[in-house]
Amino acid sequence: MKTKIIYAFLLLPFLIFAQERTITGKVTSSNGEPIPAVNVLIKNTTNGVTTDFDGIYSIKTAQNDVLVFSYVGFQTKEITVGLNNVINVVLDQSNEQLDEVVVIGYGKMNVKDLTSSITTIKSEEISKTPTGSAMQALQGKVAGLQVVSSGEPGNSPTIRVRGVGSYPGSGSTSPLYVVDGMFFDNIDFLNTSDITSISVLKDASAAAIYGVKAANGVVLIQTKSGAFNQKTEISYDGYTGVQVAQNVLKMANAEQFTTMALESGSAADISFIANAMQRFGRSRINPNVPNVNTDWYKEILRPATIQNHNIGVSGGTENASYSLGVNYFTQEGILDMKNQYERFNLRSKVDLKATDWLTIGGNMILSNATKYNEASSAWNDAYFAVPIMPVYDDANTAAWPINFASAQSIGYRGGQNPFPGMNFNNNRSKIRKVLANFYMKIDLIPEKFSFKTTYSHSFSSINNRNVELPYYLTDGFQRPISSVTKRDETFSNQIWDNVLTYTNKFGKHNVTVMAGTSFRDDSWNMLTARGEDIASIKHEQSWYIHQAGTINTDSVDDDGSRQYGFSYFGRLAYNYNGKYLFYGTMRADGTSKYQEKWGYFPTVGIGWVVTSEDFMKNNKVVNYLKLRASWGQLGNSNVPASDGANTTSVVDTAINDVLVSGTIASSTFSSLKWELTEETNVGLTSRFFDNRLSIDADYFIRDTKNAVIPVSFPLIGGGVNKAVGSIRNSGFELALNWNNKISDDLSYSFGGNLSTLDNKVTDLYGQPYLDGGSAEFRQRSYVGESLLAFYGREVIGVYQNDQQIQADPVAVANGLEPGDLIYKDQNNDGLIDENDRVILGSFLPSFTYGFNFGITYKDFEFSTSMMGQSGNKILNRKRGELIWTSDGNLDADLAINRWHGEGTSNSYPSSAGLRKGWNQKMSNYFVEDGSFFRIKNIQVAYNIKKGKQWFDTNLPDIRISLTAENPFTFFKYNGFNPEVANGIDTQMYPIPAVYTLGINIKI
Amino acid sequence: MKYINYFKKLTTIFTILLVGVSCNNKLDELAENRSFTGDTDYSQTSDMVLPLMGAYTEFYARGWEDFPLISVRGDDVNSGGLGDQQDYAETDKFNYNKDYWMYNSVWQNLYADILTMHSTMEQIELYKDNGGDVTKANQYIAEAKTMRAYLLFQLSRVWGDVFITTSSDPSDLLIASPSTKDEVMQHISDQMDEAIPNLPDMRPNERIDVPGGVTKYTALAIKALANLELKNYQGVADATSQIISSGKFMLDPDYYNLFKIPGKLDDENLLELQYSDFGQGAGTNKSYLFAFFGPDGWTPSIAGANGGWGFYEPSLKYIKFMLDRGETTRLETSVLFTDRGITELKSDPNYATLPTWISNTTRDGDVINDFAREMFVSGKHYLPSNQLTPGRTDYGTNKNFICIRYAEILLMHAEALTQGASGSGMSADQAVNEVRSRAGLAPLSSGVTNAQVMDEKFAELGMEWGTRFYDMVRLGNFNELSYGGRTFTEDKKYLPYPQAQVDKLPVLGNN
């Protein structure tokens, strides 16, 4: 009897344990912070809950159930339900990068399953750079991405992913920007504080899913969103700062200029100096120099302010998540005139779980910007304006409304003064954009099979008003009649995507299949007109064509375009136990733009996670090693639309003082399709030393087939574009990051990236080369050499004395003098002519690199990033202007280092020589080394953690930072700025250094 | 229940997909804002004049570099523009550079317009085939033919052996060879023979439909010019005789204003490029870039009028030649003086005293100041500031550009006759004396020699279209061209083919 009772009691626990119980607990991270929204799942079932705001969960389980705790950014933990009803869990931070989910085209994928080359930059890095243009923040941070800055406020930088694959002039080379699924050509409406992450899809296997738009690279941008079950967070982000021009080019001063003029042997130039002395007096320091010494660049530059204020609110309940933001950004330009960029943005993103199988959401961005464009000729004018002329000239009494000086008063051909261009022009653009995107997601089988349909519409309107105000300085430097030109453009682009996704796991096999369609409708309209002679021009309210005395009927024009695209695409991602990876996509793109409608773009990629193999397990050094390779094809639809047939244009002319119209039919037409780019990429992703060191390396070969090249016509010049060329870009990319936490108070990180680029033209449709650039500054694309390489003579020295001249038959034959350049006779035929030209270098850098370093100590943070490039050449086109007119100023380097006697220079000609045709030929005298090294960003920040007391109030999270952007740039080039996108330096907006003070408050 | 749910979801999805797929046919839409030539309705014969107007538009729209390159090499004119366009100055001195952008640009400008003329003729043929007025169509085709001939004429004078085009498609030239200059000139003469019967028999300014356009006499003039190059003096005389015998043309008694606004569509003009500002001080303006010829510093009588770039300087040789002949109105019209230039003239002891009317102030009150780029300004390309429409400031706005005028016809006639040809309408003496009397000079006694005719041509046609240079080359009179430090040799007759053209058409490299 007693035994029975004991057995009964023994059984009781089993009975108790076999029942359902409720387990509760708290999930925290390793520093004690609770983690909300952690998934708590019963293994092998679909039962699960999530932790609430305080990290607490409560779940009904049975004995021996295994609870799986998982959350993004943390290592998943599995705990078997035991005797305790309370299970508290501490989750460790995971390899931040590898366990993450990254957004790829039309879906998401785990970073560790990727076989493609994708680099992602997070918002903390992006917000370090104070700029109105988000891509500027990526400069020097992504291997293989060349960002060429643009200094004018409101302008976007030039972006190149893995070299240049298209012949310049055959369409836009900007990459495709995908912002939350919407396609854009430029993202000037986005503020850096709105962005969560930017991913650059570098190789074909990542980008091919975007088919015909992907050949110039794809940049995926995620804007900030809320999350389900997230406590509301209000944050304020702002900075204010000043921009100061850097590396201002020194121009010759009055004394150097006078010396040059006297040595030039040009009676005209010497007489102008005399005129200046007569008009303005002689200098007290040197009586042979006029009493005026104007530093034009100093006159036209000013420090300018920059400000950004952003307020964001985000959060979520169980069924809804939201993120809203308001942003105001303003940036003045450093040119001393009204030029600035001001932008106001409103952003909202809402996601709703309408039912358990239906999720809907909407996203809207409203951007309203006003941009006052600079008078870009001012930079050119300031370069050439002679220093012997002042800014204002009191003696010029006939001038109105302001008595600026005109170089014509002292005999020069042009007025030269940059100020009239700056003061008497008003060029304003109002840029308004509304971008809306709505989606509906249906879960057919939860977690496994879903359908998503998305509709996006982006609508922009750009209203430009360009007003020319009248003035008079001298007869050849005047504008007697005012004018107003208006140009209105609207863009309306729609995209409708439908995507079916299926994910499942069969034992160790993980499969994701995606199939979808996309329909695109892009339209553009433009209307422009110009009116002249507005009576009350002084008042801005009269700047309308309606107020103009005459409307230039020739100027009234309209234009438009409408293009459609339709695509089918699909993807298969497979991995075997996370060890062997396979990836493939296929896209069929149809477009109305070209005569050949359809293109097919497949891609495949494979990967092998070596560290998941048995022989690599428990390796202390190598934590993660994945080898990957991919091949894919992409299309480039930025090639301009081709007519496909002859077209007729309307022209007009004067017959007996009457305007008569006529037509001209073209006898040639272009018939094009997109360019096809084929890319092979091999690479590895690895982590070492407890995930402290990460190394990513890639080698790629990218061929653009059917590159659109101009096939020029004999006789009539010009040419037609034919998609028959072939260009190759190949290179090596390496990204290295090391971060280490020495103690709870101190941690540091540094990283670097470098990439090489070899750009080559491989086929030109039988033509041995293509000429580009201009006749005086020839650029030539030879098969086997870089695209549009500079092509000219090679200077090997300067003739120093008469003996040298007499000894050289070439010098005697051409009547040269000491001070003239010596060219190399490349073909040894005893003549120096156009057959002695060689490739002088390319405008594309062959080597780019970047470093960053950061250290955090307690509440202080310090970080710096640097970047540089080498191997590119710049054509100093400004020095070349002498060919047409010797009337202007020269840079100080040339003025000081000119040849002016035996032995004074072996690379620059004499002042008289500068005016001779012999020395004006395209040669490496004009082509300079464009390498540079820049300290791009230095930031010091101080964090005040939430809860700290300050005058008895609890402070929220505050971060105060001081940032210097572009403080130092080192380069040898004789110009303002070594960042010249196409290598030809004509008038560059100097890139200013920006110093800001920023505050970030999180409530 | 689950299956109904499933079904509902799938139906939603498929409907969406179906609608999406039907958008496929949008891919076939054509590009916007295009007028496809294939869509032209050629039965609309009233539209037949449009291609002709297009041809005139292209003919009148000349690049500023065309005329200077064609005309600068003679002993009547220097390049001017000291310090600017070095290679142009060298061209004037017979040092040619085949890589100079100007050679390539002029070549391309002329050929592009020639192909446009072909395109015009092809379009009008289509109208003709579709029921258009045959007579009108033939006339329009003849007009385009004439303009094409003039352009080809200039091309061949400058480069010698050039391509004779046959259609508007430039790729036809890839397999062609250039024809010799004589072949080109003969081709031009034959083309004019084809065109003449279809062209209106009147003066250009008598035309109602296209006032100032091409007529039968334009074609005859071009035929005469071509035959002159061929030294087929009889051919010249035949053509000039017809023009003279028609009695339609006359020399404008006001030589000075012939080249200015009053001279637009003058009775003396056989071919001119037309421009206009439509009488408005602002707004649409079709003009030639006369600024090339304008003084680089002047004080105009109407303040605010712009000067120009200071190129194209009448030579000292020409001025001295004119002074020797006692020329007044022709010298005044052809040359504007600066004080610096006058001083330079006077420094030559033979010209220490100049006629009192020579000064730096023109008869219309514009003062030409001293400037470095040149000493004298071309008067035939000068528009007085008081002839500008009020409100316009660019030099030469509203002025036309004369290509062929009756004086040249008369002198060509005289030249042919003195070379042994026989003509009608006028004798050589009468022709030369008619030109002289308009210029206020005493008539020559009977029996003018060829040398006297050539001198008369020098005086009358100085600075116009390089006539002097091509005349001297044709007559082998190289000594005249070797002036002011220059040396002309026979191999310098033609400019070298532009390097860019040789690169594309290797057959040119063999010449």
PDB file of all heavy atoms in Angstrom, chain B residues 238-253:
ATOM      1  N   ASP B 238      30.299  83.104-122.797  1.00  0.00           N
ATOM      2  CA  ASP B 238      28.929  82.722-123.150  1.00  0.00           C
ATOM      3  C   ASP B 238      27.978  83.012-121.988  1.00  0.00           C
ATOM      4  O   ASP B 238      26.885  83.549-122.190  1.00  0.00           O
ATOM      5  CB  ASP B 238      28.872  81.229-123.495  1.00  0.00           C
ATOM      6  CG  ASP B 238      29.586  80.915-124.801  1.00  0.00           C
ATOM      7  OD1 ASP B 238      29.789  81.854-125.598  1.00  0.00           O
ATOM      8  OD2 ASP B 238      29.931  79.735-125.011  1.00  0.00           O
ATOM      9  N   ALA B 239      28.406  82.668-120.833  1.00  0.00           N
ATOM     10  CA  ALA B 239      27.519  82.863-119.670  1.00  0.00           C
ATOM     11  C   ALA B 239      27.367  84.334-119.335  1.00  0.00           C
ATOM     12  O   ALA B 239      26.248  84.831-119.149  1.00  0.00           O
ATOM     13  CB  ALA B 239      28.065  82.090-118.472  1.00  0.00           C
ATOM     14  N   THR B 240      28.475  85.049-119.277  1.00  0.00           N
ATOM     15  CA  THR B 240      28.383  86.465-118.902  1.00  0.00           C
ATOM     16  C   THR B 240      27.612  87.243-119.954  1.00  0.00           C
ATOM     17  O   THR B 240      26.868  88.174-119.628  1.00  0.00           O
ATOM     18  CB  THR B 240      29.781  87.093-118.716  1.00  0.00           C
ATOM     19  OG1 THR B 240      30.569  86.829-119.883  1.00  0.00           O
ATOM     20  CG2 THR B 240      30.470  86.527-117.492  1.00  0.00           C
ATOM     21  N   SER B 241      27.768  86.847-121.222  1.00  0.00           N
ATOM     22  CA  SER B 241      27.040  87.562-122.273  1.00  0.00           C
ATOM     23  C   SER B 241      25.548  87.471-122.029  1.00  0.00           C
ATOM     24  O   SER B 241      24.820  88.448-122.198  1.00  0.00           O
ATOM     25  CB  SER B 241      27.367  86.976-123.639  1.00  0.00           C
ATOM     26  OG  SER B 241      28.742  87.069-123.876  1.00  0.00           O
ATOM     27  N   GLN B 242      25.081  86.284-121.647  1.00  0.00           N
ATOM     28  CA  GLN B 242      23.641  86.124-121.411  1.00  0.00           C
ATOM     29  C   GLN B 242      23.173  87.044-120.290  1.00  0.00           C
ATOM     30  O   GLN B 242      22.094  87.630-120.370  1.00  0.00           O
ATOM     31  CB  GLN B 242      23.331  84.680-121.033  1.00  0.00           C
ATOM     32  CG  GLN B 242      23.319  83.727-122.214  1.00  0.00           C
ATOM     33  CD  GLN B 242      22.779  82.372-121.793  1.00  0.00           C
ATOM     34  OE1 GLN B 242      21.627  82.243-121.391  1.00  0.00           O
ATOM     35  NE2 GLN B 242      23.607  81.356-121.871  1.00  0.00           N
ATOM     36  N   ILE B 243      23.993  87.121-119.256  1.00  0.00           N
ATOM     37  CA  ILE B 243      23.578  87.959-118.128  1.00  0.00           C
ATOM     38  C   ILE B 243      23.527  89.423-118.573  1.00  0.00           C
ATOM     39  O   ILE B 243      22.572  90.150-118.275  1.00  0.00           O
ATOM     40  CB  ILE B 243      24.560  87.813-116.942  1.00  0.00           C
ATOM     41  CG1 ILE B 243      24.624  86.360-116.475  1.00  0.00           C
ATOM     42  CG2 ILE B 243      24.140  88.720-115.790  1.00  0.00           C
ATOM     43  CD1 ILE B 243      25.679  86.088-115.427  1.00  0.00           C
ATOM     44  N   ILE B 244      24.565  89.839-119.289  1.00  0.00           N
ATOM     45  CA  ILE B 244      24.632  91.248-119.690  1.00  0.00           C
ATOM     46  C   ILE B 244      23.507  91.564-120.665  1.00  0.00           C
ATOM     47  O   ILE B 244      22.836  92.593-120.548  1.00  0.00           O
ATOM     48  CB  ILE B 244      26.016  91.555-120.291  1.00  0.00           C
ATOM     49  CG1 ILE B 244      27.103  91.377-119.218  1.00  0.00           C
ATOM     50  CG2 ILE B 244      26.049  92.957-120.867  1.00  0.00           C
ATOM     51  CD1 ILE B 244      28.501  91.433-119.738  1.00  0.00           C
ATOM     52  N   SER B 245      23.298  90.647-121.628  1.00  0.00           N
ATOM     53  CA  SER B 245      22.279  90.910-122.661  1.00  0.00           C
ATOM     54  C   SER B 245      20.890  91.001-122.072  1.00  0.00           C
ATOM     55  O   SER B 245      20.027  91.639-122.635  1.00  0.00           O
ATOM     56  CB  SER B 245      22.288  89.799-123.703  1.00  0.00           C
ATOM     57  OG  SER B 245      23.569  89.603-124.194  1.00  0.00           O
ATOM     58  N   SER B 246      20.638  90.350-120.952  1.00  0.00           N
ATOM     59  CA  SER B 246      19.279  90.402-120.404  1.00  0.00           C
ATOM     60  C   SER B 246      18.913  91.813-120.019  1.00  0.00           C
ATOM     61  O   SER B 246      17.738  92.149-119.949  1.00  0.00           O
ATOM     62  CB  SER B 246      19.190  89.503-119.179  1.00  0.00           C
ATOM     63  OG  SER B 246      19.840  90.120-118.092  1.00  0.00           O
ATOM     64  N   GLY B 247      19.934  92.632-119.732  1.00  0.00           N
ATOM     65  CA  GLY B 247      19.657  94.027-119.371  1.00  0.00           C
ATOM     66  C   GLY B 247      18.978  94.168-118.021  1.00  0.00           C
ATOM     67  O   GLY B 247      18.504  95.233-117.655  1.00  0.00           O
ATOM     68  N   LYS B 248      18.939  93.072-117.253  1.00  0.00           N
ATOM     69  CA  LYS B 248      18.186  93.170-115.999  1.00  0.00           C
ATOM     70  C   LYS B 248      19.011  93.766-114.864  1.00  0.00           C
ATOM     71  O   LYS B 248      18.479  94.285-113.903  1.00  0.00           O
ATOM     72  CB  LYS B 248      17.716  91.780-115.597  1.00  0.00           C
ATOM     73  CG  LYS B 248      16.672  91.244-116.560  1.00  0.00           C
ATOM     74  CD  LYS B 248      15.976  90.036-115.959  1.00  0.00           C
ATOM     75  CE  LYS B 248      15.190  89.281-116.996  1.00  0.00           C
ATOM     76  NZ  LYS B 248      13.967  89.975-117.401  1.00  0.00           N
ATOM     77  N   PHE B 249      20.324  93.637-114.969  1.00  0.00           N
ATOM     78  CA  PHE B 249      21.139  94.056-113.829  1.00  0.00           C
ATOM     79  C   PHE B 249      21.776  95.400-114.087  1.00  0.00           C
ATOM     80  O   PHE B 249      21.998  95.793-115.220  1.00  0.00           O
ATOM     81  CB  PHE B 249      22.240  93.024-113.545  1.00  0.00           C
ATOM     82  CG  PHE B 249      21.684  91.720-113.066  1.00  0.00           C
ATOM     83  CD1 PHE B 249      21.340  90.734-113.979  1.00  0.00           C
ATOM     84  CD2 PHE B 249      21.460  91.502-111.715  1.00  0.00           C
ATOM     85  CE1 PHE B 249      20.793  89.533-113.538  1.00  0.00           C
ATOM     86  CE2 PHE B 249      20.921  90.299-111.278  1.00  0.00           C
ATOM     87  CZ  PHE B 249      20.579  89.317-112.184  1.00  0.00           C
ATOM     88  N   MET B 250      22.041  96.127-113.035  1.00  0.00           N
ATOM     89  CA  MET B 250      22.755  97.382-113.185  1.00  0.00           C
ATOM     90  C   MET B 250      23.613  97.625-111.959  1.00  0.00           C
ATOM     91  O   MET B 250      23.339  97.090-110.890  1.00  0.00           O
ATOM     92  CB  MET B 250      21.772  98.522-113.393  1.00  0.00           C
ATOM     93  CG  MET B 250      20.617  98.489-112.425  1.00  0.00           C
ATOM     94  SD  MET B 250      19.501  99.816-112.796  1.00  0.00           S
ATOM     95  CE  MET B 250      19.873 100.893-111.461  1.00  0.00           C
ATOM     96  N   LEU B 251      24.626  98.425-112.138  1.00  0.00           N
ATOM     97  CA  LEU B 251      25.502  98.747-111.020  1.00  0.00           C
ATOM     98  C   LEU B 251      24.841  99.818-110.171  1.00  0.00           C
ATOM     99  O   LEU B 251      24.298 100.787-110.689  1.00  0.00           O
ATOM    100  CB  LEU B 251      26.847  99.266-111.544  1.00  0.00           C
ATOM    101  CG  LEU B 251      27.652  98.275-112.379  1.00  0.00           C
ATOM    102  CD1 LEU B 251      28.911  98.940-112.919  1.00  0.00           C
ATOM    103  CD2 LEU B 251      28.017  97.059-111.557  1.00  0.00           C
ATOM    104  N   ASP B 252      24.872  99.621-108.880  1.00  0.00           N
ATOM    105  CA  ASP B 252      24.273 100.596-107.968  1.00  0.00           C
ATOM    106  C   ASP B 252      25.149 101.851-107.948  1.00  0.00           C
ATOM    107  O   ASP B 252      26.327 101.767-107.641  1.00  0.00           O
ATOM    108  CB  ASP B 252      24.192  99.980-106.565  1.00  0.00           C
ATOM    109  CG  ASP B 252      23.366 100.814-105.607  1.00  0.00           C
ATOM    110  OD1 ASP B 252      23.228 102.039-105.810  1.00  0.00           O
ATOM    111  OD2 ASP B 252      22.847 100.224-104.633  1.00  0.00           O
ATOM    112  N   PRO B 253      24.575 102.989-108.260  1.00  0.00           N
ATOM    113  CA  PRO B 253      25.409 104.202-108.301  1.00  0.00           C
ATOM    114  C   PRO B 253      26.031 104.537-106.938  1.00  0.00           C
ATOM    115  O   PRO B 253      27.087 105.146-106.874  1.00  0.00           O
ATOM    116  CB  PRO B 253      24.446 105.306-108.743  1.00  0.00           C
ATOM    117  CG  PRO B 253      23.085 104.715-108.705  1.00  0.00           C
ATOM    118  CD  PRO B 253      23.207 103.248-108.696  1.00  0.00           C
TER     119      PRO B 253
END
